[in-house]
Amino acid sequence: MNHLPESLSKPGPSANEAAPSGSKRGLLRALFGLGVTATGMVVTADPAAAAINAQPPRRGEANGKRYGMLVDIRRCIGCQACTVSCSLENLPPIGQFRTTVLQYEVDSKVNGVPPAMVSLPRLCNHCDEPPCVPVCPVQATFQRTDGVVLVDNERCVGCGYCVQACPYDARFINHETQTADKCTFCEHRLEVGLLPACVESCVGGARKIGDLNDPKSEISTLLKENKDEIKVLKPDMGTRPHVFYIGLPDEFVNGIDGQAGVRVLPEH
């Protein structure tokens, strides 16, 4: 289990001033009462904007790897095998998902051209500048040196700051644990040489994961071969996401929000 770095500043009210802290909720009330985070950062109305360019140091040993995922939309058939296998592997509460495939109906508004269905896999983007990390008041959300963003749910107080900060709607408060939850790239499987559940179960082979720092890895080769077609979601947010897409329509790059099962994108 990862712990707070020794240099982390601690809240400074006296024992008489502090709110009851016998539980996570007591700590959360104390934090709200202070109006500042445990790192001393003042809570703002726009935590996502405040987070960018204020990243704390990454944790763990430097192993030289940087994991990323490539999703080929052309190969995705929307079968949800990835969603099911992820749920079986990681056991989130019923009705909550770490990854899913959203179905979009695109109405071209062109005579004689029927609406097209687009399947778009969604998950945590494990960004290089993750806005979810610096807004966490107790540093429960952190990033490893290999780029994987994780949540220490023994520290998490369930405040939801990270959920609000994520521009990809990739986080949620777990109904059972009342702590933040998200895709982890199945880091427990990566560490023993296995593929994430969603990659292993993908029927069409649409998902690829690997070390972006290894020029000979499959993902590095595919990114190089398809460099003119590679896109990411919401690049203007400055998060530098590390889930890459091939075959992603331009209209989806900055126009995707929410986790609904089906969304209609008119006028495209």
Side-chain angles (χ1 to χ4, degrees):
M1 187 59 63
N2 291 278
H3 299 284
L4 292 171
E6 293 181 358
S7 60
L8 178 65
S9 59
K10 299 179 181 179
S14 66
N16 293 331
E17 296 171 336
S21 56
S23 67
K24 290 182 177 179
R25 299 300 163 259
L27 173 60
L28 180 57
R29 287 194 296 271
L31 290 172
F32 279 130
L34 289 171
V36 297
T37 70
T39 58
M41 179 175 62
V42 178
V43 178
T44 68
D46 188 357
I52 302 300
N53 298 322
Q55 297 295 328
R58 296 186 183 185
R59 301 185 193 175
E61 298 181 2
N63 58 13
K65 295 183 178 181
R66 203 321 176 185
Y67 288 111
M69 184 176 289
L70 177 64
V71 180
D72 191 339
I73 300 295
R74 304 167 300 182
R75 291 177 172 269
C76 180
I77 61 174
C79 66
Q80 301 289 353
C82 54
T83 305
V84 174
S85 62
C86 174
S87 293
L88 291 173
E89 179 71 26
N90 297 294
L91 300 177
I94 294 176
Q96 293 187 301
F97 307 95
R98 292 185 173 188
T99 187
T100 188
V101 180
L102 301 187
Q103 305 290 331
Y104 292 87
E105 181 181 9
V106 181
D107 188 354
S108 65
K109 299 296 184 182
V110 177
N111 292 334
V113 178
M117 294 298 297
V118 176
S119 298
L120 181 63
R122 300 285 298 276
L123 67 158
C124 172
N125 282 254
H126 297 275
C127 311
D128 258 352
E129 296 288 343
C132 56
V133 175
V135 299
C136 180
V138 293
Q139 291 192 357
T141 287
F142 64 97
Q143 187 168 36
R144 304 196 314 190
T145 55
D146 59 11
V148 177
V149 178
L150 298 176
V151 179
D152 181 347
N153 63 11
E154 292 188 5
R155 289 190 176 278
C156 180
V157 296
C159 65
Y161 286 176
C162 62
V163 176
Q164 295 291 330
C166 177
Y168 303 104
D169 299 303
R171 287 173 164 263
F172 57 92
I173 298 298
N174 186 301
H175 290 164
E176 296 176 354
T177 65
Q178 291 300 304
T179 58
D181 204 333
K182 59 177 283 297
C183 158
T184 65
F185 272 173
C186 280
E187 43 84 25
H188 61 288
R189 293 175 62 90
L190 290 175
E191 289 175 353
V192 294
L194 300 175
L195 293 173
C198 64
V199 176
E200 188 174 78
S201 65
C202 183
V203 175
R207 297 188 184 213
K208 305 292 183 182
I209 194 169
D211 180 10
L212 297 172
N213 289 339
D214 179 2
K216 296 182 180 180
S217 66
E218 182 181 16
I219 188 172
S220 294
T221 301
L222 289 171
L223 287 172
K224 183 177 180 181
E225 291 175 351
N226 298 275
K227 62 181 180 179
D228 294 334
E229 300 179 59
I230 300 298
K231 297 174 185 175
V232 297
L233 294 176
K234 300 186 178 181
D236 295 340
M237 294 295 296
T239 62
R240 298 172 62 194
H242 272 58
V243 171
F244 306 93
Y245 292 90
I246 299 176
L248 183 69
D250 289 337
E251 296 83 2
F252 285 71
V253 172
N254 291 304
I256 298 301
D257 288 305
Q259 292 281 357
V262 176
R263 283 181 173 266
V264 179
L265 295 185
E267 301 178 1
H268 294 310

